Amino acid sequence: MGRQLKFHIFRYNPEDTNSVPRTDDFYLEETESMTLFIALTRIREEQDPSLQFDFCCRAGICGSCAMVINGRPGLACKTLTRDLPAEITLMPLPVFKLIGDLSVDTGTWFRSMNEKVGSWIHNDEAFDPDAQEERMDNALAEEIYELERCVECGCCVAACGTANMREDFVGAVALNRIARFMLDPRDRRGEKEYFEVIGTDEGVFGCMGLLACEDVCPKELPLQDQLGILRRKMGWSALKRLFRVK
Amino acid sequence: MDTELADLLCIGAGLAGERVAIEAASCGFKAICLSIVPPRRSHSSAAQGGMQASLGNCAMGAGDNQDIHFQDTVKGSDWGCDQEVARLFVETAPRAVREMAFWGIPWNRVVPGKSAFFKGGKEYEKVEPKENKGLITARDFGGTAKWRTCYTSDGTGHTLLYTMDNKVVELGVAVHDRMEAISLIHDGETCTGVVARCLKTGRLKAYLARATLIATGGYGKIYKESTNAVINDGGGAIIALDTGVVPFGNPEAIQFHPTGIVPTNILVTEGCRGDGGTLLDVNEKRFMPDYEPEKAELASRDVVSRWMIHHIREGCGVKSPYGDHLWLDIRHLGERHIKTKLREVEEICNNFLGIDPVTQLIPVRPAQHYSMGGVKTNKDGAAYGLKGLFSAGEASCWDMHGFNRLGGNSLAETVVAGKIVGEKIAEFLKGYDVQFKTASVKDVADRVQERLERRISGKDGGESAFEVRNAMQDELMERVSIFRNGKDLEKAVENLQGIYERSKRVGLRSNGIGASPELALALKIQGMLRLAICVAYAALKRTESRGCHAREDYEARNDRDWLNRTLATWKEGEDLPTLNYEPASGVLEIPPGDRGYGVSKIITRDGETTGA
Ligand SMILES: Cc1cc2nc3c(=O)[nH]c(=O)nc-3n(C[C@H](O)[C@H](O)[C@H](O)COP(=O)(O)OP(=O)(O)OC[C@H]3O[C@@H](n4cnc5c(N)ncnc54)[C@H](O)[C@@H]3O)c2cc1C
């Protein structure tokens, strides 16, 4: 027989005037290879059909199911219950707007982040359908892919001291995104333009260096390395500006 | 009710929906996309393997061209596809891949010089040409004569979707995420938008549009074991069937993927076998070469899936608490290869199974994977039956896949069809005006509102939506799966009709306020059952075997009677769909013949029986 698991789950439905923020307890017997996806689905279908949470691919790829699991942001679908104690506390991600229970609105936040950092290839040329593709070194392609693996789950934002205090801080995810485009020769933005986006306290200089972002990233992206690289570049850029002003 | 206007409304913000929206927006039209999840979480992101286009840059792809891609696609479809559409597709695919490169995809590139590759567990050497250094490279996928599948490591769908959505953000196209289309607005002739339900607040909203596109992806979740995402439950198919006039093409054409992991059905990519992974049985013996001497593990999906089930039925499966399975072995590819080229696979094994594929075998068995069928359109993407309605991507039956889609051809379809259908919609919009009739909007909205209230109040009964859905999923898995026969299919239709009756009596156990996941399911469970019945009934009526549709009681492919496409419509008040048929292809550039793999018993158009 498996362990008896006890779940403390944050509950609140902002659309329901009778709902008050609270925690509800649920019990389940653990089964082999049980993940939080399996557990939460069972709780909803067998015990409380009103329970709100988000899963989509349930394979650690889409980033839908980030939540705070025993105090730590992570993807619920790839969390095996056997790696947790028998008492499991689940809370919604902070920073993002609550939709209900464990479900938060990451869509609005990330769309706005993508707009802010200009998350696309900036290039005025037109696509020539008859031309061969521009060549690229495979090693560079792989380096870009490495940073493009971010799934916008929001864990790094939720774990970030600065993001929890200031709403305008763009977060590690945005800095990583900028680093991705800076690597890409197809993006024609220069240092100055990148600087305008993130060379401020809302950007690279807002980070307090607590390292939580990299710690919790389910894709294990080298977020702190990127930050260091950006800071050096931006610092340099800032200096150059100062001299120009003089 | 809150109402919004657009030139084009895309229901779906996966690769297909967004690609169409981009085309329309680039022509100056106002496009809005709806999606159940934030766009980048659409299931396109889960495609790991790659996208086919005959660039012919890599050594093993040398000499590739559109004709060979065309042949592979037609053979793959078991001659069920529309050849004119397949032609259009292969012609456009190389340009589509390059356009995505231009927009930012970090495609893997040709690295000149010698490198090793595995095929069927043996190591070979290839030499990549110097002159192609840095061009887009490709990997091997099942059912193709050349290496043609362009990829970014193990995250092709992810990079495609991120790049596509980047473009959407750049163009300022609005995506309303957590907004689920519940019903099309139409008057029997013209479609003018949808009524949708907000999955943040639960409120209804009307979208009025001159053109409406269904790009809602696959509907695998009508099956119990499926590689599809939780949200792939057929929303688009349901609202199209609900019209009673828009036919659904080939509902019976359901593809199973050979390698879903046991027990969670998460897919491990075909790339594993493409790169040289092998399938082993309970004795850790490789069995595919015994059944398919030439292609072995790389025969097309339907063929590999079928032999796997056959082999399990022969008693050669591995016993487990979750049923019998087989093994996928990639150990010989080596740690470096697995940790770079197949990294997501490694992650999946570690995270969801707690095993290390570098040293251990992976438990796999076939799971539902892809829906070839869908909203039937013409080659421009215009749906049959309603003016102003279009469809693209997996939700559509355009129909380049016929009875079996090749791996790598559906990511390619989303961007290729997205481009073509987008252009056609832009043309359509240029010369088109339509009157939005307040009465039809109100009529649809009232009906949805009434349905919603009946579910919440429990007026029709207290059946649990979850239990009804589970019963349907079990039934399809049990009797409408890889091997099919008349007796089981008849039983399945009968049982599903019983479950359909239960679905009419669903009532909520929660209060249904707000997003309410229970209400979301309760609102579509009846539609899901109609879809399930279409699948089972069309499978029962198709008395032949073609591609993925394998009838034990009709083993031959029958080109005399069945070289055609099923068109299912559901008339209001009926308890079975109406099935009509149209020729599979207007043009037969390649006349029906032997695929070169799989069972080859054929009843020819002249009525002769050939093959085993
Ligand atoms: C695990 C897996 C791996 C795969 N690997 C490959 C591969 O390597 N190569 C390949 O070619 N193909 C692959 N495929 C197939 C391919 O990924 C899909 O066919 C393709 O991505 C579908 O894209 P789409 O745009 O049609 O739909 P999706 O990406 O599924 O998007 C559907 C959209 O519709 C929205 N939606 C659905 N219903 C509603 C509604 N009622 N109202 C509003 N919005 C709605 C969703 O939110 C979503 O935005 C794979 C499939 C799976 C499941």
Side-chain angles (χ1 to χ4, degrees):
Chain A
M1 226 181 70
R3 290 187 299 173
Q4 178 81 356
L5 301 177
K6 182 174 182 184
F7 293 86
H8 307 281
I9 300 181
F10 174 83
R11 302 301 304 273
Y12 178 52
N13 182 357
E15 292 294 321
D16 183 350
T17 44
N18 293 320
S19 174
V20 283
R22 64 188 189 280
T23 355
D24 280 354
D25 291 345
F26 299 95
Y27 298 87
L28 271 187
E29 191 189 315
E30 189 170 33
T31 51
E32 208 180 305
S33 315
M34 185 185 248
T35 59
L36 288 182
F37 164 63
I38 296 173
L40 284 169
T41 307
R42 273 189 54 193
I43 292 175
R44 178 194 281 170
E45 295 188 7
E46 295 164 16
Q47 303 184 30
D48 187 342
S50 70
L51 183 62
Q52 293 186 51
F53 49 75
D54 294 316
F55 286 100
C56 183
C57 78
R58 56 79 182 92
I61 295 168
C62 76
S64 291
C65 61
M67 57 183 72
V68 181
I69 304 158
N70 283 347
R72 199 185 150 83
L75 293 183
C77 74
K78 61 184 257 190
T79 302
L80 289 158
T81 52
R82 74 167 183 224
D83 296 334
L84 298 172
E87 289 211 17
I88 300 170
T89 303
L90 302 177
M91 303 281 287
L93 285 189
V95 182
F96 301 95
K97 182 165 183 253
L98 183 77
I99 290 175
D101 303 339
L102 300 173
S103 174
V104 296
D105 182 1
T106 52
T108 307
W109 197 95
F110 279 103
R111 170 77 185 221
S112 143
M113 185 280 287
N114 281 312
E115 284 166 359
K116 234 187 271 179
V117 305
S119 173
W120 61 85
I121 297 279
H122 288 59
N123 185 336
D124 293 334
E125 292 142 46
F127 172 66
D128 176 355
D130 300 318
Q132 200 175 44
E133 64 272 21
E134 207 178 301
R135 291 179 195 243
M136 181 182 272
D137 211 43
N138 191 55
L140 176 60
E142 286 184 348
E143 225 182 310
I144 296 173
Y145 175 67
E146 200 49 40
L147 302 187
E148 180 131 330
R149 290 170 58 243
C150 167
V151 296
E152 298 191 354
C153 61
C155 286
C156 63
V157 179
C160 171
T162 314
N164 272 280
M165 290 184 313
R166 23 186 323 180
E167 212 176 288
D168 53 2
F169 181 56
V170 294
V173 58
L175 301 177
N176 176 71
R177 185 63 50 80
I178 285 291
R180 177 249 175 268
F181 282 103
M182 285 176 84
L183 274 181
D184 197 326
R186 294 168 293 195
D187 190 45
R188 309 283 200 250
R189 276 178 283 187
E191 239 169 54
K192 183 166 154 272
E193 285 144 283
Y194 291 127
F195 183 88
E196 274 159 17
V197 182
I198 52 160
T200 61
D201 281 354
E202 289 149 37
V204 272
F205 300 111
C207 167
M208 302 186 289
L210 303 176
L211 307 180
C213 52
E214 183 164 331
D215 246 22
V216 299
C217 176
K219 289 285 157 183
E220 293 170 19
L221 293 171
L223 297 174
Q224 284 295 326
D225 288 356
Q226 297 317 311
L227 193 87
I229 295 168
L230 287 182
R231 271 197 171 164
R232 278 195 299 280
K233 281 194 180 161
M234 292 300 153
W236 190 230
S237 202
L239 275 180
K240 281 198 286 196
R241 285 186 149 216
L242 272 179
F243 283 114
R244 223 175 295 136
V245 171
K246 261 188 178 173
Chain B
M1 189 171 34
D2 203 4
T3 304
E4 194 143 349
L5 292 174
D7 293 311
L8 168 65
L9 178 73
C10 296
I11 312 170
L15 282 172
E18 289 204 332
R19 185 63 190 84
V20 171
I22 287 169
E23 200 60 38
S26 306
C27 295
F29 294 108
K30 178 181 173 186
I32 298 178
C33 298
L34 308 186
S35 175
I36 293 181
V37 290
R40 293 173 191 220
R41 312 208 191 292
S42 300
H43 205 45
S44 290
S45 66
Q48 304 168 328
M51 143 170 190
Q52 285 200 43
S54 57
L55 298 176
N57 292 330
C58 67
M60 303 298 289
D64 197 10
N65 59 41
Q66 294 164 15
D67 291 332
I68 306 178
H69 191 185
F70 177 71
Q71 279 164 27
D72 286 343
T73 303
V74 174
K75 276 187 199 166
S77 80
D78 220 354
W79 277 269
C81 74
D82 182 325
Q83 296 195 15
E84 212 183 330
V85 168
R87 202 20 109 179
L88 198 59
F89 161 74
V90 298
E91 274 169 9
T92 316
R95 251 179 291 146
V97 163
R98 290 190 179 120
E99 186 171 54
M100 291 310 297
F102 187 75
W103 289 349
I105 301 282
W107 294 115
N108 277 80
R109 305 291 177 138
V110 175
V111 180
K114 283 184 196 165
S115 55
F117 71 95
F118 288 86
K119 197 164 179 118
K122 279 205 213 96
E123 191 172 335
Y124 298 87
E125 191 181 83
K126 62 185 172 63
V127 183
E128 293 295 343
K130 240 210 210 98
E131 65 275 17
N132 286 353
K133 178 175 194 284
L135 294 179
I136 297 168
T137 192
R139 59 162 51 129
D140 200 7
F141 248 30
T144 65
K146 301 277 180 187
W147 287 25
R148 187 187 297 129
T149 306
C150 308
Y151 63 99
T152 49
S153 188
D154 250 357
T156 314
H158 170 85
T159 57
L160 278 169
L161 190 58
Y162 270 56
T163 301
M164 197 70 88
D165 195 56
N166 282 343
K167 194 79 197 165
V168 161
V169 175
E170 179 187 353
L171 294 172
V173 174
V175 180
H176 296 189
D177 73 286
R178 295 187 192 254
M179 188 58 89
E180 180 169 26
I182 303 282
S183 185
L184 289 173
I185 301 170
H186 70 97
D187 59 6
E189 278 167 19
T190 309
C191 175
T192 49
V194 303
V195 167
R197 182 171 166 269
C198 174
L199 300 177
K200 293 175 190 168
T201 63
R203 279 190 278 280
L204 297 181
K205 180 166 177 176
Y207 288 87
L208 296 179
R210 291 197 287 142
T212 304
L213 173 88
I214 296 180
T216 49
Y219 45 90
K221 282 293 170 188
I222 57 174
Y223 279 84
K224 175 142 233 122
E225 322 281 353
S226 168
T227 63
N228 284 193
V230 175
I231 62 166
N232 285 39
D233 48 16
I238 290 170
I239 56 179
L241 268 181
D242 275 353
T243 63
V245 291
V246 175
F248 201 79
N250 284 343
E252 70 271 39
I254 302 265
Q255 180 176 74
F256 283 72
H257 194 288
T259 53
I261 61 169
V262 179
T264 43
N265 302 307
I266 297 171
L267 176 86
V268 292
T269 173
E270 191 148 298
C272 290
R273 282 171 299 127
D275 289 0
T278 54
L279 291 167
L280 308 180
D281 63 16
V282 63
N283 304 311
E284 300 193 13
K285 177 184 169 288
R286 200 175 155 212
F287 58 90
M288 277 308 296
D290 297 345
Y291 297 119
E292 294 292 328
E294 208 170 300
K295 292 242 165 192
E297 281 86 355
L298 289 176
S300 76
R301 290 183 176 166
D302 54 321
V303 172
V304 176
S305 298
R306 241 174 2 245
W307 287 128
M308 286 171 77
I309 296 291
H310 173 79
H311 206 61
I312 289 175
R313 283 187 183 173
E314 296 283 290
C316 301
V318 184
K319 300 257 174 283
S320 90
Y322 305 102
D324 292 1
H325 63 77
L326 295 159
W327 298 115
L328 172 65
D329 185 7
I330 58 170
R331 296 172 301 183
H332 50 282
L333 301 182
E335 185 162 351
R336 210 187 98 77
H337 186 92
I338 293 172
K339 288 202 166 13
T340 54
K341 293 268 159 42
L342 298 169
R343 181 167 48 191
E344 309 278 338
V345 174
E346 196 213 4
E347 282 182 14
I348 287 170
C349 290
N350 286 335
N351 294 330
F352 302 94
L353 293 170
I355 66 162
D356 176 8
V358 177
T359 57
Q360 288 170 292
L361 299 172
I362 310 169
V364 293
R365 80 175 154 226
Q368 188 287 344
H369 183 52
Y370 188 81
S371 336
M372 274 78 72
V375 177
K376 183 65 191 100
T377 71
N378 66 14
K379 65 177 196 292
D380 298 341
Y384 289 13
L386 279 182
K387 196 169 177 193
L389 183 65
F390 298 80
S391 184
E394 191 172 342
S396 74
C397 182
W398 188 30
D399 170 12
M400 55 168 276
H401 304 301
F403 277 79
N404 178 58
R405 146 197 94 115
L406 296 182
N409 254 358
S410 54
L411 278 184
E413 178 186 17
T414 60
V415 288
V416 170
K419 188 178 165 71
I420 295 172
V421 174
E423 283 164 9
K424 292 295 170 186
I425 290 179
E427 267 173 41
F428 169 84
L429 286 171
K430 271 173 201 153
Y432 179 66
D433 205 13
V434 68
Q435 291 255 296
F436 297 126
K437 294 182 199 144
T438 347
S440 356
V441 183
K442 190 170 175 322
D443 178 49
V444 175
D446 287 349
R447 283 220 240 175
V448 171
Q449 185 64 36
E450 197 212 318
R451 191 143 56 99
L452 196 143
E453 278 161 16
R454 294 185 89 91
R455 292 292 172 247
I456 294 177
S457 68
K459 220 180 198 166
D460 302 314
E463 284 277 5
S464 147
F466 300 116
E467 280 166 23
V468 171
R469 184 205 56 200
N470 291 348
M472 169 194 72
Q473 289 177 330
D474 285 338
E475 187 60 39
L476 283 179
M477 208 63 213
E478 185 63 30
R479 295 190 180 82
V480 197
S481 154
I482 301 181
F483 284 105
R484 301 166 174 188
N485 65 66
K487 209 169 117 238
D488 281 347
L489 290 170
E490 245 166 63
K491 184 93 192 130
V493 172
E494 188 189 315
N495 290 346
L496 287 168
Q497 282 179 312
I499 304 167
Y500 180 46
E501 287 309 311
R502 283 174 62 193
S503 75
K504 296 176 182 167
R505 299 191 296 269
V506 162
L508 294 202
R509 290 176 291 164
S510 62
N511 64 15
I513 296 174
S516 182
E518 191 189 20
L519 180 57
L521 179 62
L523 283 175
K524 68 189 147 201
I525 185 67
Q526 250 176 286
M528 287 174 84
L529 269 145
R530 282 197 283 266
L531 182 58
I533 293 171
C534 284
V535 173
Y537 190 58
L540 170 66
K541 291 295 168 189
R542 184 172 284 275
T543 48
E544 64 152 358
S545 291
R546 186 180 296 273
C548 67
H549 175 69
R551 287 284 298 250
E552 293 166 313
D553 45 353
Y554 295 92
E555 283 184 328
R557 190 183 84 204
N558 183 343
D559 293 331
R560 183 192 56 203
D561 306 316
W562 289 103
L563 193 58
N564 61 18
R565 177 176 304 109
T566 307
L567 296 176
T569 45
W570 197 294
K571 307 267 182 275
E572 200 171 332
E574 302 279 306
D575 54 7
L576 272 180
T578 308
L579 302 186
N580 290 301
Y581 296 90
E582 68 173 12
S585 190
V587 188
L588 285 178
E589 211 183 307
I590 311 180
D594 186 1
R595 294 167 102 188
Y597 49 81
V599 182
S600 53
K601 192 169 165 190
I602 295 170
I603 299 169
T604 65
R605 282 179 293 169
D606 306 329
E608 261 175 72
T609 303
T610 66

